[in-house]
């Protein structure tokens, strides 16, 4: 059974990484898709792949930092498919590097403003355009994209983490204001997801260090997010709204000393074994 058969869906930021996996999975599950991205060629490539696998999709260029561009995306969706049931706000300016989106004391204010304008305001604007369309069809599902960065402090990426925290509360506000209209709004907070862009970064020692802080045996993959997305988009999640769904291998679900404790216990065990060997 296809879980979102004939539902009309927009996925933003769908040319690469997590968004591409989510778009492919929604298409597999029967959705009629708009694959939207700043990178039109990338979006067109994803549409080609989706169609090759038997799915239905069109590509659109969108800049979620610009209201007129978001309006054009929704106009195209209406012209192509005639409505909207699912909006996955996945796009984010992820390329603002930690050297410019730095600690609060050093953050470039222009980068701060761009991050809020593109990621937070863009998510709000797209959701706002989706609401009347979903209302007119008796309901719908909006799935926003947060991050573990929204839920804990770090040395850099201050603007990114703060805008994602805003997206988490935007999610609750939309859920509260539109639940009685049959519109659900949830957010997925991915942990460390290895995408083509981050693959090199997590290779080797850094990847091993990161993995030691997870409760799972591997880091995340874009498909892990796509599984959660399909559930939240489908009617199986009819009683789920206003939630932030962490898909992060338990990264934020343990005591901060978890990895240190494992290392210390194994060092203790090794030294006890050595003592026992010496005594024998
Ligand atoms: N990869 C991770 O580890 C991770 C962790 C937590 C949260 N996230 C979130 O997941 C989402 C996807 O991340 P990803 O790793 O796949 O990123 P990515 O950089 O691989 O993909 C982001 C996509 O968004 C597009 N985009 C950028 N600016 C845009 C704009 N103004 N308008 C429209 N599209 C735009 C890019 O062209 C790109 O295709 C983002 O919201 C990101 O913050 C990712």
């Amino acid at each position: 059974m296809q879980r979102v058969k004939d539902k009309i869906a927009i996925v933003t930021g769908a040319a690469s990484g997590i968004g591409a996996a989510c778009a492919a999975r929604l298409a597999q599950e029967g959705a009629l898709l708009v694959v939207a991205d700043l990178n039109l060629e990338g979006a067109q490539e994803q549409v080609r792949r989706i169609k090759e696998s038997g799915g239905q999709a069109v590509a659109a260029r969108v800049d979620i930092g610009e209201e007129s561009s978001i309006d054009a995306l929704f106009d195209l969706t209406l012209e192509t498919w005639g409505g909207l049931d699912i909006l996955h706000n996945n796009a984010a300016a992820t390329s603002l590097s930690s050297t410019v989106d730095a600690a609060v004391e050093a953050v470039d204010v222009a980068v701060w403003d761009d991050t809020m304008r593109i990621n937070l305001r863009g998510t709000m604007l797209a959701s706002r355009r989706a609401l009347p369309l979903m209302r007119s069809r008796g309901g719908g599902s909006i799935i926003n994209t947060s991050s573990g960065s929204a839920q804990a402090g770090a040395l850099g990426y201050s603007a990114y983490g703060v805008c994602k925290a805003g997206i988490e509360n935007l999610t609750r506000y939309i859920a509260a204001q539109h639940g009685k209209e049959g519109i659900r709004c949830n957010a997925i907070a991915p942990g460390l997801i290895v995408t083509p862009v981050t693959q090199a970064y997590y290779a080797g020692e850094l990847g091993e260090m990161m993995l030691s802080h997870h409760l799972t045996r591997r880091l995340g993959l874009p498909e892990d997010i796509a599984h959660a997305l399909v559930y939240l988009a489908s009617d199986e999640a009819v009683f789920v709204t206003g939630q932030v769904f962490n898909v992060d291998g338990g990264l934020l679900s343990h005591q901060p000393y978890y990895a240190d404790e494992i290392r210390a216990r194994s060092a203790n065990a090794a030294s006890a074994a050595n003592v026992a060997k010496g005594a024998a």
Side-chain angles (χ1 to χ4, degrees), residues 172-195:
R172 297 182 191 102
Y173 273 76
I174 294 171
Q177 290 161 11
H178 299 281
K180 297 293 186 196
E181 295 166 351
I183 300 170
R184 296 179 296 104
C185 185
N186 294 287
I188 296 175
L192 295 177
I193 306 298
V194 182
T195 66

Side-chain angles (χ1 to χ4, degrees), residues 81-104:
W81 301 119
L84 184 71
D85 303 297
I86 298 162
L87 170 64
H88 182 28
N89 283 311
N90 163 78
T94 54
S95 58
L96 298 168
S97 86
S98 63
T99 53
V100 283
D101 178 5
V104 170

Side-chain angles (χ1 to χ4, degrees), residues 35-211:
V35 174
D37 204 288
L38 195 56
N39 169 5
L40 180 60
E41 274 181 23
Q44 286 167 335
E45 175 56 21
Q46 292 311 321
V47 166
R48 193 188 58 72
R49 289 186 192 178
I50 287 170
K51 286 185 170 169
E52 241 173 42
S53 314
Q56 299 187 69
V58 292
R61 184 190 176 278
V62 69
D63 178 353
I64 61 157
E66 299 296 333
E67 187 164 12
S68 58
S69 180
I70 292 175
D71 285 344
L73 168 65
F74 280 82
D75 291 348
L76 178 128
T77 305
L78 279 178
E79 276 160 31
T80 310
W81 301 119
L84 184 71
D85 303 297
I86 298 162
L87 170 64
H88 182 28
N89 283 311
N90 163 78
T94 54
S95 58
L96 298 168
S97 86
S98 63
T99 53
V100 283
D101 178 5
V104 170
E105 194 180 6
V107 69
D108 179 330
V109 174
V111 169
W112 180 279
D113 289 348
D114 274 352
T115 305
M116 299 302 157
R117 179 177 59 82
I118 299 169
N119 298 354
L120 178 54
R121 182 173 170 270
T123 298
M124 180 277 290
L125 287 174
S127 301
R128 199 157 76 160
R129 273 302 308 259
L131 290 166
L133 301 182
M134 291 180 174
R135 187 186 301 123
S136 72
R137 289 164 77 82
S141 176
I142 298 175
I143 303 104
N144 294 328
T145 305
S146 180
S147 163
S149 309
Q151 301 166 17
L155 298 177
Y157 289 102
S158 313
Y160 178 80
V162 172
C163 88
K164 291 294 190 180
I167 287 174
E168 291 195 356
N169 224 19
L170 173 68
T171 299
R172 297 182 191 102
Y173 273 76
I174 294 171
Q177 290 161 11
H178 299 281
K180 297 293 186 196
E181 295 166 351
I183 300 170
R184 296 179 296 104
C185 185
N186 294 287
I188 296 175
L192 295 177
I193 306 298
V194 182
T195 66
V197 177
T198 58
Q199 204 160 19
Y201 185 71
Y202 293 129
E205 207 180 322
L206 187 63
E208 285 303 314
M209 187 274 282
M210 294 295 188
L211 187 56

Side-chain angles (χ1 to χ4, degrees), residues 243-260:
Q243 302 304 306
V244 177
F245 189 173
N246 279 41
V247 182
D248 68 353
L251 181 63
L252 292 174
S253 304
H254 55 71
Q255 299 293 351
Y257 49 76
Y258 167 80
D260 298 332

